[in-house]
Amino acid sequence: MAHLVLQGLTKRYGPLTVLDSVDLAVEKGQLVCLLGPSGCGKTTTLRLVAGFIEPTEGTVRVAGQELSRPGSALPPERRGMSMIFQSYALWPHLTIFDNVAYGLTLRKMDKAEIGKRVRAMLAAVKLEHLVDRYPGELSGGQQQRVALARALVVEPQILLLDEPLSNLDAALREEMRFEVRRLHDEFRYTTVYVTHDQAEAMTAADLIVVMNQGKIEQAGSPEEVYSRPRSAFVAKFLGGANVLTGRAVDARRLDIGAGVVPCAEPVFAAGAEGALSIRFHEVRVSDRPAAGALPAKVLRQTFLGSTRDLALALSDGTALRVTAAPDLAIPADQQVWVALPQERCRPLLA
Amino acid sequence: MQKLLGLAGAMAFIATTALAQSPVYKITPELEAAAKKEGKLTIYTSVDVKVAEAIAKAFESKYEGIKVTVERNGAERQFSKIGQEYSSQIFNVDTVNSSDAAHFIYWKREGWLAPALPQEVAERYPKGSFDEQGFYAPWRASLSVIAYNNKMVTDAEAPKSFKELLDAKWKGKLVKAHPGYSGTILTATFQISRDIGWDYLEKLAAQQIMQVQSSTDPPRKVVAGERPVMVDGNEYNVFLEQAKGAPISIVYPTEGTPLVIGPSGIMKNAKNPNAARLYHAWSFSKEAQQMSVNVGGLRSFHPDVVEPAGRTPLGKIKLMKDDPVAVDKQVEQIKQQYLKYFKT
Amino acid sequence: MTAIALNEAEQRRSLAGPDLSGLVLGATALFLLALIGLPVGWLLAYAFSDKAGAVTLANFQALLDDPTLREPLVTTFSLASLVAFFAALAAAPMAWAVARTDLPGRRAVRAMMTASFVTPPFLGAIAWEILAAPNSGILNKLWRDLSGADEALVNIYSFGGLVFVMACYTAPYVFVVLTNALDRIPADLEDAAGILGAGRWKIVRSVTLPLALPALLAGALVAFLQAMILFGSPAILALPAGFHTVTTKVYALFQFPPKPQVAAAAALPLLLVTVALLWIQGRIIGRRGFAVVGGKAGEPRLLVLGAWRWPVLGLVLLVLALPLFLPYAALLKAAVSRIPSGPFDAANLTLTNISFVFLEFSQTQRAFANTFILAFTTATAGTGLALIVAYMAARRAAPGAKALEFLATAPIAIPGIVLGVGLFLAYTRGPVVLYGTLWILFLGFLTIELPAAFQQLRASFRSVHPELEEASRILGADRLVTLRRITAPLLKSGVIAGWCLIFIGVVRELSAAVMLATSNTKVLSVVIYDLNESGNLGAIAVLGVAMLLVTFAVVGLANWVAGVGAGIGIRKT
């Protein structure tokens, strides 16, 4: 049985439904990323797991034990979890040592033992030289590591991370992404990680859960979610994609107006409406016609250094975005031909 | 003294029946020992705080080991306070002295007083000046007098009677204490309204008087020059100011001067009954009474007490008659009437 | 790392101690409810009943019919309006000069205005008696000597005199509210006007003043409320002048023969007006005040006064002389004078006041002990209570937090004298009889001072990110432990400020104390009030100065401790 199980989890504030019947199972030692735009319910889910709020419907279970249900939630301090906050929430009146030791002092551990563990943990995050400093004297990245150390040192049942890297600059964020993954590989705590950044999710997660408007859109391994998006939202949110809609000719082929496009899997009902997605870089563009290629017109082209970004219109006006090789310099208004490789055209289920 | 004796007869207002046990007692070594064992005493009094503290200090030094706390309030406020405390079962006060003799009628009726008549009072004080059952005895007497600042007003200009105070030239020049606060002034207001009439007070109210609370305050205001003339106030405070060399002179008005008797008694629920009895008996001794006269400027009922030179003897002053029974009955009416005229 | 892993059983055991948080929070709510509900309930019950206890409206009828009851109401409202007007008139230019110009000694002026806040209004009133009694007052004597005139320059024993003294000691409220607002008006709003071509004074008139107007109104409202509920100053000055305010009337109605029913009814208009005004204040601040204040851009721009700086400073010092320099000088002089307003020469110089207060007067020691025991305990308990309630209010930690917030603010609407009446009615009978003990004073002071401390702490909570507390809870600390180990230290300056507010408030409280103190539980304010009734100004001066010295010392110490603590705690943030 899974370690953390959410069942029918719903949270409403008055008429507003923030979270709508979410089911999720996380295996012990897994790192799951809740990914989605702001307001999708991912932070609410995290706070429900932490016990800061009570569900309107549904339950939260850990190791088979029910922790939250409507009208009753074990308070956060009894859950044996720990959490890393968007603001890091380091206590400015305590030293780095005292910050990290805090959770252990609550567990009535003797002083020597606390000292040993705190130092070991600070070593693991490479901050052992800063024990006596105050948080205000540390850089953003260092503060982030202290927050990690403080959360990890208590050996939580479940580790919760709420957009932990969103306050860092781009370079530091990339470094910390790998750091989080490294520490997870080292300690193997069951972890729920909330982010709106797909790169973070891709790097860190064992399981990505894409959320939108209070619901789970799709859950799966990073590869699975990226390469086989099941909905237009997932396709667009994760990496960006063209979503083309039309009427199914048969189970495999879709008539998108400008032409009929064969897809990777046979899932359509003939005559019904359907949609497919194809990533920007998977579209092939040529200035010469080829078999099966659709004619299109260049609306705008932008040189981005390593790539070239093209905005095209198919013959029926359907817009298409393409990431092409940088040396493909085609001026605006020129006619081109685009090929949509069958194995890259993913039929969407929703 | 003869005159005071006669007037003090007014104190004999309650017919007395013989008690099963005589309330008469005197200071014995046993009483002294029991009092020292209690070690403390709380006096509620309306006499001037410095006089009260001086007499308390004399008692403390005579009977070492008894710590005296003096709680000084205006008689009327003291009366409210004791009422509030007793209705809440708080028995702070051991012995009480009030310038409003009517209070003792009330307290006796309520059964709050303990019978205790010092032998010296029973034997030496004028008959009729004290309660035969021993619930209270006249610890002090004083007069409410007119006085003026003799640097601001010449003796010739000074008013000779209450009626003269209604003259337009005194407008804005008078200071007066308040019967809602001071027992002395309540008593005096009663006597003046009885003997001169309320219309006098009504006209007085139109004189833009300065209204203070305690009857101890007008002499201070006159000495400070805040107002040249006081309409009423304690004679003894004027004596005290004179002793300090302050420019203040007394007028005993031709209509008569209100006499205010300030009895003392012991509370039945006193926490320190022995210390209270010791103090009570001592405070009526010649020693203590002479001190209250010399140091406090008060008048005494003790026959052996000698009036200091320079003070007009009581016998030479036309006095108004004290009538605590009537005051007890009319207190609310007096205050209402006063409020109507004086607005406070 | 696995070598130091806690096993799961160990984890659970160590985190499964009993959680008292819910219990404590619940108990706090109940306590607060009883604290305020009981006296107010009794007050209402009395106001609507006759002497026999039957329900009646006769007490209110009496308010309308009896001129001796009606006139104080009219007097009080005109008094409070005038006080608010003059307090605002005096405080507004002061606040502007201090906050928005390069006035020399700005910080000192601020500190001195705060000092005048510490001065109990009743002590200020007594000091002004010494200064401006029409004949013996020092200022009036000086005036006569200098001008040869017969008439007094000022008469403190008058309606106008009372307005003046009360305005002196309510102006600091307006000043504080206004300087806070002016401090926070961002410079770029003024710069925007400057770029459009407005001159310096034009900016002041068209931008700064309109922006500060809500704060000025709010401050004036506070002054109005203070003036309306103040007891000490009118008790000292209105009686010699020959009129009553509502508070002195309520007090008089409690004197023998007591009329608690009428007193309760007479007190209710104050309660209603206060509630109404607070509601209006909420609207003013809610709609405009915070919309402006709270912009964070830049230091406020200081107007360069240039040659005007010395005249302006002179004016400011002149205003400061009224609540501060003159009264304090008068008190100090009275302390060592035979006749308080007498000449300052060898003949009038004496130490008897000092020796009387400290050697003869048997109440001195106990009154000091009572006052500072009460101030200390009330400040400590009140800060704790305010902290818990502010926590619940700020973090919505319990159902009904909104109601608790209301309860903690409600005492603002209860004038001290009214609360005194309510507490007297509530605790002179069963089941809990507290009259005659320090407890009833403690409860009274706690109730009166709670709102100020609560508002202070609630504001402080806004500066503490909730995640700091959540981080503590998720690591295993319950709400109380979190409050103690994380929140309270972070709120340190707010906590100390709240503590000092209560401490000062208790020391200067008279109106409830005068209703509730008995001889064993007298506090300094009441002793001073009693001494004033018999005109012992010298003794009052000695007691008052001693009381102020102790207060300044304690407040200074508290702030020093806070300063030291802050230095250790937060170096850079």
Side-chain angles (χ1 to χ4, degrees):
Chain A
M1 186 178 156
H3 188 57
L4 167 68
V5 179
L6 312 184
Q7 204 163 47
L9 207 56
T10 302
K11 183 68 188 175
R12 278 191 279 271
Y13 293 101
L16 188 72
T17 303
V18 187
L19 201 64
D20 189 2
S21 190
V22 161
D23 296 299
L24 183 68
V26 182
E27 296 301 328
K28 198 169 171 95
Q30 223 176 15
L31 194 160
V32 54
C33 256
L34 304 183
L35 179 66
S38 58
C40 73
K42 57 191 191 299
T43 296
T44 304
T45 309
L46 196 73
R47 295 175 64 80
L48 278 163
V49 172
F52 289 122
I53 48 179
E54 229 172 61
T56 315
E57 281 164 33
T59 58
V60 175
R61 279 167 209 277
V62 172
Q65 195 193 353
E66 188 179 88
L67 301 188
S68 291
R69 62 183 152 83
S72 144
L74 192 69
E77 60 266 25
R78 305 283 190 94
R79 296 190 172 208
M81 301 180 181
S82 58
M83 183 158 171
I84 295 170
F85 296 85
Q86 198 169 356
S87 66
Y88 317 141
L90 297 183
W91 301 303
H93 64 301
L94 300 180
T95 60
I96 301 311
F97 181 92
D98 290 335
N99 261 283
V100 177
Y102 186 83
L104 296 178
T105 62
L106 292 168
R107 285 158 179 78
K108 315 256 182 310
M109 207 175 273
D110 74 72
K111 269 210 167 115
E113 182 65 22
I114 291 178
K116 208 171 89 189
R117 290 190 193 204
V118 170
R119 273 164 220 288
M121 182 50 73
L122 284 173
V125 295
K126 307 187 182 80
L127 286 177
E128 60 270 52
H129 57 294
L130 296 176
V131 279
D132 293 324
R133 299 285 188 88
Y134 284 89
E137 303 169 315
L138 269 53
S139 71
Q142 289 169 328
Q143 290 187 13
Q144 179 60 67
R145 287 168 198 270
V146 175
L148 272 167
R150 185 177 70 181
L152 292 173
V153 78
V154 297
E155 293 157 25
Q157 291 241 5
I158 292 176
L159 176 64
L160 307 171
L161 298 95
D162 184 11
E163 308 243 7
L165 309 183
S166 61
N167 283 338
L168 300 177
D169 63 49
L172 211 51
R173 188 154 31 183
E174 185 167 342
E175 183 193 326
M176 287 307 294
R177 247 164 35 202
F178 291 105
E179 182 74 5
V180 168
R181 185 66 220 184
R182 179 183 72 79
L183 288 168
H184 182 257
D185 289 339
E186 184 174 346
F187 296 109
R188 281 275 151 209
Y189 296 122
T190 310
T191 303
V192 181
Y193 188 125
V194 160
T195 181
H196 64 270
D197 182 320
Q198 57 126 343
E200 260 175 68
M202 291 297 211
T203 321
D206 295 317
L207 177 71
I208 288 181
V209 177
V210 183
M211 295 184 70
N212 186 32
Q213 293 183 340
K215 290 188 167 151
I216 293 180
E217 290 270 340
Q218 188 174 355
S221 69
E223 288 92 334
E224 190 181 327
V225 177
Y226 182 82
S227 56
R228 282 194 294 280
R230 297 213 323 246
S231 69
F233 175 81
V234 175
K236 285 178 174 168
F237 192 79
L238 221 66
N242 295 298
V243 173
L244 304 171
T245 55
R247 198 162 290 278
V249 178
D250 54 33
R252 202 177 272 275
R253 291 182 304 159
L254 197 67
D255 181 354
I256 60 164
V260 172
V261 181
C263 293
E265 289 133 40
V267 295
F268 299 126
E273 291 194 349
L276 65 83
S277 79
I278 182 163
R279 303 258 167 223
F280 302 146
H281 62 88
E282 292 167 342
V283 179
R284 305 262 163 73
V285 182
S286 166
D287 52 0
R288 275 164 296 172
L294 303 171
K297 186 182 270 182
V298 177
L299 297 180
R300 171 180 58 73
Q301 59 103 358
T302 316
F303 177 64
L304 294 175
S306 60
T307 58
R308 195 174 286 272
D309 184 50
L310 300 175
L312 309 177
L314 294 179
S315 57
D316 66 337
T318 306
L320 202 65
R321 243 180 99 187
V322 178
T323 305
D327 51 350
L328 188 76
I330 304 170
D333 282 341
Q334 187 154 343
Q335 181 84 22
V336 290
W337 283 265
V338 293
L340 304 171
Q342 183 177 2
E343 69 280 11
R344 303 294 183 198
C345 291
R346 303 283 170 198
L348 300 175
L349 301 176
Chain B
M1 215 58 234
Q2 258 337 83
K3 189 138 185 182
L4 180 59
L5 256 169
L7 281 161
M11 296 292 285
F13 30 72
I14 304 282
T16 55
T17 48
L19 284 171
Q21 199 184 341
S22 166
V24 178
Y25 74 102
K26 61 179 183 186
I27 298 173
T28 59
E30 292 78 41
L31 178 61
E32 209 180 311
K36 283 185 175 165
K37 203 170 162 200
E38 287 163 357
K40 57 185 193 301
L41 175 68
T42 301
I43 301 171
Y44 279 25
T45 180
S46 66
V47 81
D48 185 89
V49 63
K50 288 194 179 181
V51 175
E53 294 281 7
I55 287 172
K57 287 283 169 303
F59 176 75
E60 277 182 347
S61 57
K62 181 160 176 103
Y63 299 101
E64 267 177 51
I66 304 176
K67 171 101 186 76
V68 182
T69 302
V70 172
E71 167 78 7
R72 194 271 160 190
N73 274 297
E76 303 308 311
R77 225 181 118 201
Q78 167 173 287
F79 184 60
S80 297
K81 212 168 189 84
I82 291 176
Q84 283 173 5
E85 291 185 2
Y86 265 58
S87 58
S88 303
Q89 308 290 307
I90 296 165
F91 307 118
N92 280 336
V93 47
D94 292 321
T95 156
V96 62
N97 171 260
S98 172
S99 56
D100 187 344
H103 293 164
F104 285 86
I105 298 173
Y106 178 87
W107 288 328
K108 184 178 171 183
R109 196 162 59 219
E110 294 290 310
W112 292 354
L113 296 170
L117 189 58
Q119 197 175 26
E120 200 161 358
V121 175
E123 289 172 1
R124 305 294 319 277
Y125 278 52
K127 285 287 170 247
S129 71
F130 54 88
D131 180 42
E132 294 283 333
Q133 290 165 289
F135 286 103
Y136 50 86
W139 183 72
R140 58 162 160 140
S142 185
L143 306 176
S144 170
V145 297
I146 295 176
Y148 60 94
N149 186 316
N150 54 35
K151 277 193 183 158
M152 302 166 82
V153 176
T154 65
D155 294 352
E157 287 171 338
K160 305 291 180 289
S161 68
F162 285 120
K163 286 273 172 65
E164 273 182 48
L165 294 171
L166 302 180
D167 192 300
K169 73 175 175 182
W170 299 121
K171 198 166 197 145
K173 305 243 189 266
L174 307 175
V175 58
K176 174 174 194 333
H178 198 286
Y181 175 81
S182 162
T184 299
I185 303 303
L186 180 71
T187 309
T189 305
F190 163 75
Q191 294 175 18
I192 288 169
S193 67
R194 181 193 60 196
D195 294 2
I196 306 179
W198 275 108
D199 63 322
Y200 158 71
L201 286 161
E202 188 177 1
K203 286 175 193 151
L204 185 64
Q207 286 288 61
Q208 294 178 0
I209 60 144
M210 174 188 187
Q211 180 77 71
V212 296
Q213 307 212 37
S214 171
S215 57
T216 64
D217 199 10
R220 296 194 175 99
K221 292 286 183 279
V222 170
V223 168
E226 181 48 43
R227 295 285 168 120
V229 177
M230 72 181 210
V231 173
D232 53 19
N234 290 332
E235 182 197 35
Y236 69 87
N237 284 101
V238 179
F239 288 152
L240 294 179
E241 294 293 345
Q242 285 173 339
K244 287 193 278 182
I248 184 167
S249 304
I250 296 179
V251 174
Y252 298 105
T254 53
E255 295 97 333
T257 304
L259 168 72
V260 183
I261 294 167
S264 286
I266 295 176
M267 304 308 279
K268 196 167 79 185
N269 286 313
K271 283 189 188 139
N272 307 296
N274 292 305
R277 285 166 74 84
L278 180 65
Y279 172 81
H280 194 59
W282 173 81
S283 74
F284 283 96
S285 68
K286 187 190 171 225
E287 174 195 359
Q289 288 283 310
Q290 187 70 56
M291 184 179 169
S292 78
V293 168
N294 292 356
V295 177
L298 295 161
R299 306 279 185 173
S300 172
F301 283 82
H302 198 293
D304 299 343
V305 164
V306 186
E307 288 268 3
R311 291 185 194 165
T312 313
L314 269 185
K316 296 231 169 89
I317 302 169
K318 181 182 175 190
L319 297 175
M320 289 182 175
K321 197 165 156 273
D322 200 1
D323 185 358
V325 178
V327 174
D328 178 49
K329 285 191 185 122
Q330 295 179 22
V331 53
E332 193 163 351
Q333 195 194 330
I334 296 170
K335 286 181 182 174
Q336 275 300 328
Q337 197 83 354
Y338 193 88
L339 177 63
K340 201 173 123 196
Y341 295 148
F342 289 88
K343 305 289 178 209
T344 53
Chain C
M1 278 314 268
T2 42
I4 55 169
L6 285 166
N7 66 47
E8 270 184 29
E10 196 183 339
Q11 277 262 11
R12 284 197 186 287
R13 195 184 57 238
S14 60
L15 289 179
D19 177 12
L20 295 173
S21 308
L23 203 67
V24 169
L25 298 188
T28 305
L30 280 180
F31 174 72
L32 209 55
L33 200 63
L35 186 71
I36 291 148
L38 222 52
V40 173
W42 275 110
L43 202 69
L44 289 173
Y46 261 74
F48 288 99
S49 59
D50 60 18
K51 277 185 184 160
V55 176
T56 177
L57 286 174
N59 301 320
F60 294 99
Q61 194 62 46
L63 278 190
L64 294 175
D65 295 345
D66 184 347
T68 65
L69 292 173
R70 200 175 55 219
E71 278 163 17
L73 264 175
V74 177
T75 309
T76 299
F77 291 127
S78 43
L79 181 73
S81 310
L82 286 169
V83 168
F85 175 75
F86 284 109
L89 199 66
M94 289 270 287
W96 175 77
V98 160
R100 311 295 290 192
T101 73
D102 64 343
L103 182 78
R106 294 189 299 276
R107 292 177 64 95
V109 172
R110 274 183 203 234
M112 281 188 277
M113 278 305 264
T114 318
S116 70
F117 170 73
V118 174
T119 316
F122 59 86
L123 203 59
I126 292 171
W128 270 100
E129 275 189 295
I130 299 170
L131 284 165
N135 298 308
S136 63
I138 297 170
L139 294 179
N140 283 321
K141 278 189 184 166
L142 213 62
W143 164 252
R144 286 200 188 85
D145 290 350
L146 291 179
S147 72
D150 243 7
E151 287 303 301
L153 179 65
V154 277
N155 176 8
I156 209 68
Y157 301 118
S158 65
F159 183 78
L162 184 55
V163 168
F164 166 76
V165 169
M166 287 170 88
C168 276
Y169 295 97
T170 45
Y173 291 95
V174 188
F175 178 84
V176 167
V177 174
L178 203 54
T179 41
N180 280 344
L182 287 169
D183 283 343
R184 283 184 288 172
I185 291 177
D188 46 9
L189 291 181
E190 291 174 315
D191 289 348
I195 282 178
L196 293 173
R200 277 190 207 160
W201 291 100
K202 174 81 181 157
I203 293 174
V204 169
R205 271 187 292 120
S206 61
V207 179
T208 319
L209 288 185
L211 286 179
L213 200 60
L216 182 64
L217 277 179
L221 261 175
V222 175
F224 182 94
L225 288 175
Q226 285 294 321
M228 191 176 76
I229 65 178
L230 211 57
F231 168 72
S233 313
I236 286 158
L237 297 177
L239 188 77
F243 64 90
H244 267 299
T245 64
V246 174
T247 50
T248 61
K249 189 67 197 174
V250 167
Y251 180 69
L253 286 169
F254 249 74
Q255 300 307 307
F256 190 84
K259 300 186 188 71
Q261 292 85 4
V262 183
L268 277 188
L270 293 192
L271 206 69
L272 294 180
V273 170
T274 316
V275 170
L277 286 178
L278 286 175
W279 182 78
I280 293 171
Q281 187 193 24
R283 303 270 301 179
I284 294 175
I285 292 185
R287 290 176 74 185
R288 288 182 62 192
F290 284 135
V292 177
V293 174
K296 55 179 177 180
E299 285 277 296
R301 182 160 315 278
L302 298 184
L303 188 79
V304 179
L305 288 174
W308 281 99
R309 55 198 310 213
W310 300 114
V312 171
L313 180 65
L315 216 61
V316 165
L317 290 179
L318 203 67
V319 175
L320 271 176
L322 300 178
L324 215 59
F325 305 145
L326 286 174
Y328 277 62
L331 284 177
L332 285 173
K333 178 184 175 299
V336 294
S337 297
R338 264 179 235 287
I339 300 171
S341 53
F344 195 68
D345 57 24
N348 195 32
L349 220 59
T350 179
L351 290 176
T352 51
N353 294 321
I354 296 169
S355 67
F356 172 73
V357 164
F358 291 109
L359 301 176
E360 287 164 48
F361 193 32
S362 56
Q363 294 185 2
T364 305
Q365 212 181 349
R366 199 173 43 192
F368 263 98
N370 285 342
T371 302
F372 289 103
I373 287 170
L374 278 169
F376 201 84
T377 50
T378 310
T380 308
T383 311
L385 186 62
L387 190 62
I388 292 175
V389 179
Y391 170 74
M392 286 195 274
R395 303 293 184 241
R396 297 272 171 266
K402 198 85 189 153
L404 272 187
E405 195 170 355
F406 172 76
L407 275 180
T409 329
I412 291 188
I414 313 176
I417 194 109
V418 177
L419 185 74
V421 173
L423 285 169
F424 179 82
L425 298 175
Y427 295 112
T428 45
R429 69 205 71 219
V432 196
V433 177
L434 295 178
Y435 183 66
T437 66
L438 282 179
W439 286 107
I440 194 168
L441 287 157
F442 171 78
L443 290 180
F445 292 159
L446 191 62
T447 313
I448 291 174
E449 304 303 337
L450 185 62
F454 169 69
Q455 287 174 337
Q456 169 76 41
L457 283 168
R458 188 178 48 182
S460 304
F461 261 104
R462 295 206 183 102
S463 67
V464 175
H465 200 298
E467 286 186 352
L468 291 171
E469 287 161 22
E470 287 171 355
S472 162
R473 292 195 66 195
I474 197 73
L475 285 173
D478 64 33
R479 285 178 290 191
L480 281 189
V481 173
T482 303
L483 200 53
R484 181 167 54 78
R485 288 184 58 175
I486 303 296
T487 319
L490 289 175
L491 294 173
K492 190 181 252 164
S493 64
V495 168
I496 299 272
W499 193 93
C500 289
L501 271 181
I502 300 183
F503 190 93
I504 293 167
V506 169
V507 172
R508 51 180 261 161
E509 214 295 324
L510 172 67
S511 53
V514 83
M515 297 296 307
L516 300 174
T518 54
S519 61
N520 284 329
T521 57
K522 264 197 188 174
V523 289
L524 281 168
S525 58
V526 178
V527 169
I528 289 177
Y529 179 71
D530 285 349
L531 285 172
N532 182 66
E533 283 183 334
S534 49
N536 297 72
L537 294 178
I540 289 172
V542 174
L543 272 178
V545 170
M547 173 176 120
L548 285 171
L549 286 179
V550 178
T551 309
F552 281 125
V554 171
V555 170
L557 194 71
N559 281 298
W560 180 75
V561 168
V564 170
I568 297 167
I570 302 158
R571 276 186 224 156
K572 223 172 105 184
T573 43

